[in-house]
Amino acid sequence: MNLEPISQIIISKNYQDVISNLKSIAPQDSRFELFIKEDSNFLVSDANEVIAKAHLASKEKVFICLGANTFSDIVQNRLLKVIEEPPKNKIFILITPLKSALLPTIKSRLPITIIKEEVQNIELNLDIKNLNLQSVYNFLQENRRLKPQEAIILMETITQEAIKSQSYNLDKSLLDTFSKVRISLDIGCPTDFALTTLLLKLLAKKIKR
């Protein structure tokens, strides 16, 4: 992991590894303010606390680290001004696994560092070729609390298995659904809703033998 101690966006799901790396390269007299929401969204109240901390005077460098799976448009717009015009000695670090979840206005204000990480393997546990309503229901019950990145991996695996099985009518509407579900997960759609949409659409396109 090759980072620099500057304001930036870091695309990674390993928040603590990123912060440890930053601490190892930061000036000795600097300090860190951490606002990391690994399993929840970044709220407007969190943004307000960040802004308040940013405006506290400090002689040393202060790294303000914000981390979450998703930042709503309201939160990003709330943070925009302080990121665009940071108070003296404040360095802003935004950490998130999904680059596409950030607004263009935010991405244009900070350099982006993408951390290449190993793709996690998730066992599908679903017979795509013999898909039915009961198996879809059971699968969704078992995967109700997935993180967005895990749901994306599952969605991509389901898509690949559906194509290999040759059991579905892969027309434009189904391919569009694959694409829309992927985008919706990128922007913070509930994972159970996204997977339900994908699997029910897939089931409707099953070729009757």
Side-chain angles (χ1 to χ4, degrees):
M1 194 180 296
N2 189 19
L3 299 176
E4 295 182 46
I6 59 172
S7 290
Q8 62 188 299
I9 295 165
I10 299 175
I11 306 302
S12 172
K13 64 179 183 293
N14 295 319
Y15 303 98
Q16 299 307 324
D17 288 350
V18 169
I19 290 166
S20 295
N21 187 278
L22 287 168
K23 286 182 175 179
S24 71
I25 60 174
Q28 286 189 351
D29 60 346
S30 61
R31 61 185 174 86
F32 280 70
E33 294 285 355
L34 304 180
F35 299 87
I36 307 298
K37 309 288 178 179
E38 291 194 42
D39 298 313
S40 60
N41 295 336
F42 209 90
L43 305 177
V44 173
S45 58
D46 298 319
N48 290 337
E49 187 178 354
V50 167
I51 293 167
K53 286 283 180 74
H55 283 100
L56 294 176
S58 60
K59 293 182 180 179
E60 71 275 17
K61 295 283 185 186
V62 180
F63 288 78
I64 301 178
C65 299
L66 290 60
N69 288 331
T70 58
F71 295 85
S72 71
D73 290 359
I74 294 172
V75 164
Q76 292 184 64
N77 285 323
R78 184 81 181 92
L79 292 168
L80 182 60
K81 184 172 177 57
V82 75
I83 288 173
E84 188 175 31
E85 300 174 5
K88 185 179 179 182
N89 289 329
K90 302 304 190 298
I91 296 171
F92 280 91
I93 308 289
L94 270 67
I95 311 168
T96 184
L98 303 170
K99 179 181 174 182
S100 56
L102 297 174
L103 293 174
T105 47
I106 293 289
K107 289 187 284 190
S108 67
R109 299 308 192 273
L110 295 171
I112 298 174
T113 302
I114 299 175
I115 306 298
K116 291 185 178 180
E117 294 160 345
E118 276 190 34
V119 176
Q120 181 183 3
N121 291 319
I122 296 179
E123 188 176 348
L124 186 55
N125 252 353
L126 183 65
D127 185 353
I128 293 295
K129 189 171 183 178
N130 299 303
L131 200 64
N132 57 52
L133 275 173
Q134 186 62 52
S135 63
V136 167
Y137 175 79
N138 292 340
F139 178 80
L140 293 171
Q141 290 299 304
E142 292 170 4
N143 293 279
R144 283 182 297 174
R145 294 186 174 84
L146 290 179
K147 294 180 180 179
Q149 199 65 25
E150 293 171 334
I152 287 170
I153 295 169
L154 268 186
M155 190 222 78
E156 291 174 347
T157 304
I158 289 168
T159 303
Q160 292 165 7
E161 290 297 316
I163 293 169
K164 283 195 299 183
S165 74
Q166 298 183 339
S167 299
Y168 300 90
N169 179 18
L170 299 173
D171 60 9
K172 185 177 184 300
S173 67
L174 181 55
L175 296 176
D176 284 347
T177 298
F178 289 158
S179 177
K180 287 175 182 176
V181 168
R182 177 66 169 82
I183 293 169
S184 72
L185 287 168
D186 276 350
I187 61 176
C189 173
T191 57
D192 55 348
F193 178 80
L195 289 174
T196 300
T197 300
L198 174 66
L199 289 170
L200 290 181
K201 183 70 172 182
L202 190 60
L203 196 55
K205 295 292 182 178
K206 191 172 183 181
I207 298 171
K208 296 179 180 179
R209 304 292 184 184

